[in-house]
Amino acid sequence: MSFELILFYLFATVLTVAALGVITVKNSVHAALLLVLTFFTAAALWLLLQAEFLAIALVLVYVGAVMVLFLFVVMMLDIKVEPLREGFVRYLPIGAIVAVVMLVEMLGLIGLKTMSAQALPADPAGASNTAWLGKALFTQFLLPFEVAAVILTVALIAAVMLTLRRRVGVKSQDPAKQVAVKASERVRIVKMESASKGGTP
Amino acid sequence: MLSNFFHSWIHDPLIAHAGTFGLVVWLVLCILAIAVPVILTVALYVWWERKVLGWMHVRMGPNSVGPAGLAQTFADVFKLLLKEYFMPQAASKFLFVVAPLIALVPAFAAWAVVPFDDKVVLADVNAGLLYLLAMTSLGVYGIILAGWSSNSKYAMLGAMRSAAQVVSYEIAMGMALVGVLICAGSLNLSDIVRAQGGNWGIFNGFWLPLFPLFLVYFISGVAETNRAPFDVAEGESEIVAGFHVEYSGAPFAVFFLTEYANMILISFLASVLFLGGWNSIFPVSWGFLGAPGWWWLFVKAFFFAFFYLWFRAAFPRYRYDQIMRLGWKVFVPITIVWVLVAGCLVYFDIVGPGKV
């Protein structure tokens, strides 16, 4: 067994255990942290496949940004887990059906892919992973890439529009005005005659 | 050359005599050769910070322990290590212990891709810039977990503030780095430094064509390391000490070490990405002064490290909403526009590898 294979089994085990932990542990913060571990080991697996760009992007986007926000929300909300677990048995069949359908779909997709398409040639001119990926995205797959970008932008704007509400009567500062303020608007120097000596009451 | 010397005297004999094991030993030696100086630099940096703050406050700063107070930091470290380690009763035990380590690991792991000189770099990876961004964004986990696991309101508030702040400034920071990688045409840090080489010395650096991005990057770096004036995560006057309020002794020392290691890292990165790294600040034709070398990188990094201290002494702390406004409404638009400008500069051959 080669060193890489040992590493693969190690990472795969950690990933599976962590993923199981995400859906079984009681504490929601612990679950979120286990999800972080899952992403991290998935990135390590991709590194084993020499997809360094994708692996680091996974860590950067999911671990570095998405999961931080996730943790932020989970810690703020202080979710009680027990109510969430009610009706576990009742909904188990539906959940199982959904899971099986997803599995069949994924297997079908991957199976079709492996049968129909041959793997893209690995960097022909010895170019780096990143340059090769960039070239493919901006030439061969330009349209899907742009469409994905537009969809994400629309989702972003929609999320802002859904949550943005203008409340009346809220006191808030206008930083531009604060910066533009002059000393003469805030302090008034008053010249006064000094009180006469000995005239203290 | 420095790297040739070490390669022929340590690396080659190790490989020749011990094979794979020798390679592992060599790598461990390399890691120690980076980590130990970083820790020592942190100690000296803390001393220098206290000195600079002292001078700016018209006082002496540390001056009693050792010559010019140089041993003060070491005395402090020993005090911290010998102090009692205290854990709150209702703390989440495992996370409370692990949090300082989670904070420490990315702070040191990021040094792997920092090029100190031509070919003097631990891991010359192709996606180095991306790796750095990933590592600097991981540092926030230590802070969040410390805040949450302490089971304290103050620590929790500090953690929440820190999480929101780091995620916000990450975007501005990432966009600033996009400008750099457009101009350099590579994600490899050594290539980025090479792209800033040329006959004009310091004026070959990317700070000139990317000046707004340079400012945004360094200010975001200050925010990302939770330093004044962006240190709301540990604002003493509001939430006692923020996320590390429950930590004492050695774990507190680890948080301290992490913060300063991160500051030094950001200083090095700003020099590598915008001021031309190991390239001389003088034109190459100036002979000895124009020769590239690691000392230039250290001079540039010291310059930025000093700025950190200067900021701390000069600026009052930002209010939380002001921080958010600066990150989202000022920095992000600036970087988006300037990434476009950088693209145009490269497209019309004004800036780029081997240009200027």
Side-chain angles (χ1 to χ4, degrees), chain B residues 182-183 337-351:
Chain B
I182 286 175
C183 282
V337 168
W338 212 264
V339 163
L340 214 66
V341 173
C344 291
L345 287 176
V346 171
Y347 185 76
F348 293 111
D349 266 352
I350 300 166
V351 182

Side-chain angles (χ1 to χ4, degrees), chain B residues 9-291:
Chain B
W9 283 97
I10 303 176
H11 176 262
D12 295 343
L14 266 175
I15 300 293
H17 292 300
T20 317
F21 180 71
L23 189 66
V24 173
V25 172
W26 164 251
L27 283 178
V28 170
L29 282 179
C30 283
I31 292 167
L32 284 179
I34 294 175
V36 173
V38 166
I39 294 172
L40 288 177
T41 314
V42 166
L44 292 177
Y45 190 32
V46 172
W47 169 79
W48 178 241
E49 170 174 41
R50 294 179 63 179
K51 270 294 188 197
V52 169
L53 288 181
W55 292 329
M56 290 186 82
H57 297 161
V58 202
R59 35 182 194 91
M60 302 290 279
N63 63 353
S64 302
V65 190
L70 259 172
Q72 180 70 53
T73 327
F74 297 96
D76 288 347
V77 167
F78 283 117
K79 187 198 77 175
L80 279 175
L81 292 182
L82 294 174
K83 272 175 103 172
E84 186 192 356
Y85 171 48
F86 178 80
M87 187 191 286
Q89 202 175 19
S92 177
K93 299 272 180 324
F94 178 71
L95 290 178
F96 189 80
V97 176
V98 167
L101 300 176
I102 291 180
L104 185 69
V105 167
F108 277 83
W111 285 93
V113 293
V114 176
F116 296 98
D117 201 341
D118 207 357
K119 300 202 182 73
V120 183
V121 51
L122 180 58
D124 204 12
V125 292
N126 279 328
L129 203 59
L130 218 58
Y131 172 82
L132 271 178
L133 209 55
M135 283 303 133
T136 43
S137 64
L138 285 185
V140 71
Y141 275 101
I143 294 176
I144 297 184
L145 291 182
W148 184 77
S149 63
S150 298
N151 199 15
S152 151
K153 289 278 191 302
Y154 288 129
M156 184 71 186
L157 279 175
M160 295 285 99
R161 288 177 174 199
S162 176
Q165 181 180 328
V166 169
V167 168
S168 310
Y169 278 85
E170 195 120 300
I171 293 164
M173 203 177 201
M175 292 297 279
L177 294 185
V178 168
V180 171
L181 80 90
I182 286 175
C183 282
S186 171
L187 281 169
N188 184 308
L189 286 171
S190 300
D191 285 347
I192 289 173
V193 174
R194 277 185 211 110
Q196 298 177 67
N199 286 323
W200 291 10
I202 190 78
F203 294 106
N204 278 116
F206 286 148
W207 66 274
L208 202 57
L210 303 177
F211 193 68
L213 295 186
F214 168 56
L215 291 184
V216 166
Y217 177 79
F218 189 58
I219 298 173
S220 304
V222 175
E224 194 111 325
T225 44
N226 287 319
R227 284 292 295 188
F230 303 103
D231 58 344
V232 287
E234 45 186 303
E236 302 90 342
S237 52
E238 308 146 21
I239 48 174
V240 198
F243 61 93
H244 57 58
V245 66
E246 304 291 351
Y247 281 88
S248 58
F252 174 75
V254 171
F255 272 125
F256 207 80
L257 174 67
T258 306
E259 182 177 333
Y260 281 80
N262 271 327
M263 286 160 69
I264 297 171
L265 178 73
I266 293 287
S267 306
F268 268 88
L269 292 184
S271 333
V272 164
L273 299 172
F274 290 97
L275 290 194
W278 67 73
N279 290 313
S280 169
I281 58 172
F282 298 114
V284 182
S285 53
W286 284 21
F288 173 69
L289 279 177

Side-chain angles (χ1 to χ4, degrees), chain A residues 63 67 72 75-76 130 175, chain B residues 138 141 144 160 187 319 325:
Chain A
V63 180
M67 286 314 294
F72 184 84
M75 286 177 183
M76 286 268 271
T130 318
Chain B
L138 285 185
Y141 275 101
I144 297 184
M160 295 285 99
L187 281 169
R319 216 171 49 212
R325 176 181 167 271

